[in-house]
Amino acid sequence: MIWEGVSEFVSVAESESFTQASQKLGVSTAQVSRQVSALEQRLNIKLFYRTTRKVSLTEEGRVFYQHCRSVLDGLDTAVRAVTNLQSKPQGKIKLTAPVSYGEQQILPLLNDFMVEYTEVDISTNLSNQRVDLVEEGYDLAIRIGNLSDSTMMAKKLGKRTNYLCASPAYLASYGMPNSLSELSQHSCLLGTSDYWRFREAGKEKTMRFVPRFRYNGGIGLVDAALKGLGIVQLPDYLVQDHLSSGGLISLLDNYREPDEWIWAVYPHNRQLSLKIRLLVDYLAKHIA
């Protein structure tokens, strides 16, 4: 009896909806409501405030949820510890990643991973918007830079370097900038961000420009820079080959901002399944 209604209660608490909880559990909304009501009667406490528009935890409900979540996580860990000994990764993974970095770096690695682990299917949404992993049902997110959400767990996968660069043809025509202040005299080509970041005298510095034009795609900016249309600030995975070949020249290296960390992010207090753990380790191994 003590377990009856606990899974239903936790699902409602996390989704803030009896309907969504029923869909997640694969049972009727009426069944979820009956189990939660029976649980409240056994405990002799009110777990939820219910209105026609919203379901929210009471103070007693929040305390009970924290303990129930820990218990269910522990049970999940115990089951996986046993089953993973004789199992192989299988099932679906839902992942989100930034658009440009996802296209250039992540998707090819996901394809390689699925070639190696043939029973794993990865559904990926490339978006530069921060999504709520729990609410939208994502198993994993790839994020770059500072992490602001303390409710998530994260593992470092690698680093990204941003380069300021231009083509030899552009520099031959317009000269090479020798300081940050000289950039305002040049044709600066921007992407989705309306500023560039640097480091001057040990402090972070942002600079805004009136661009000649702007694209919301890095590949188009690389092509524009190669054709001498202006200066760009772009991450290494887009420009490294051109820097090595001499097609682009790195500028103002002394003012370059520190490298940014690339992270694998997943919901807090959730034990990673075998397939997720293997994918995170795979990405960490292959991302420089």
Side-chain angles (χ1 to χ4, degrees), residues 140-158:
L140 195 64
I142 307 301
R143 292 180 176 166
I144 300 173
N146 296 326
L147 298 180
S148 58
D149 192 343
S150 61
T151 66
M152 296 288 118
M153 299 294 290
K155 178 176 179 177
K156 292 177 180 177
L157 300 178

Side-chain angles (χ1 to χ4, degrees), residues 262-273:
I262 300 163
W263 305 85
V265 179
Y266 46 93
H268 184 61
N269 285 341
R270 300 293 178 83
Q271 297 297 323
L272 293 184
S273 65

